[in-house]
Amino acid sequence: LVGAAIHSPAHKQEKKMKKTAMLAVAAVFTLVACGKGSLAKDFGALFEDATKDLNAIAAELKGAKDAKAVASALNKVYDTMHTMKTKGAELEKKHGMKAKGAMPPELKEKNEAFQAAVKNVFSGETQAVMQKFAASPEVLEALNKIKSLKG
């Protein structure tokens, strides 16, 4: 039964969702690659805010008792990732940059915390709760919104 859950459509959807979330922020990761000074400060704040929001959403998901609560939390994931993507583009424009190379050392810890928060939203207890309600139309709609962030 445990093996069946791992290969269920819900599990595959969760796996896709995690990849989509990571793709949504990949642009932000590359944007910060050569930042210094205020740029690192700006992107650092962006990472911190998103990390805080995603950790709160993970806690909300763990306590979700129905599909409506799961969908609400997933819509918050979408909002957080969309905001991060949008603000990242704004910061790129503000700092006039097209970044290449490695992430600045001063952002490494914030980046790692952010990545851990993304993982926290899409694994363990939260994944189990999402799988339980994955067939619900409102949850599927929320998942599709997250998938739309790819581009």
Side-chain angles (χ1 to χ4, degrees):
L1 185 60
V2 172
I6 292 173
H7 298 292
S8 71
H11 176 72
K12 289 177 184 175
Q13 187 71 18
E14 303 311 322
K15 197 170 183 179
K16 286 180 186 176
M17 192 170 61
K18 182 178 178 182
K19 286 180 183 176
T20 299
M22 292 306 289
L23 286 172
V25 299
V28 175
F29 290 154
T30 58
L31 293 176
V32 298
C34 67
K36 299 290 180 200
S38 69
L39 179 128
K41 182 179 177 185
D42 288 348
F43 277 99
L46 184 61
F47 279 129
E48 287 173 351
D49 290 345
T51 298
K52 183 179 122 195
D53 291 345
L54 290 172
N55 284 330
I57 293 165
E60 187 177 326
L61 274 168
K62 287 175 186 175
K65 302 292 185 209
D66 57 30
K68 184 177 179 181
V70 171
S72 174
L74 291 174
N75 283 323
K76 291 175 185 177
V77 170
Y78 169 84
D79 292 343
T80 299
M81 303 309 278
H82 182 267
T83 297
M84 188 164 192
K85 185 176 177 181
T86 302
K87 285 185 177 180
E90 290 169 4
L91 290 175
E92 178 186 40
K93 189 179 274 189
K94 173 184 173 181
H95 293 285
M97 59 183 285
K98 291 287 182 191
K100 293 180 184 171
M103 181 170 294
E106 61 270 26
L107 290 176
K108 185 177 180 194
E109 187 176 315
K110 291 175 184 183
N111 173 21
E112 289 171 355
F114 172 77
Q115 289 184 39
V118 170
K119 183 178 179 183
N120 190 32
V121 168
F122 296 108
S123 62
E125 286 180 61
T126 55
Q127 182 179 9
V129 171
M130 285 187 274
Q131 285 179 345
K132 184 175 178 182
F133 299 104
S136 162
E138 59 222 314
V139 171
L140 290 173
E141 182 180 333
L143 291 171
N144 285 329
K145 276 177 59 177
I146 293 170
K147 284 167 81 174
S148 76
L149 289 169
K150 271 187 188 180

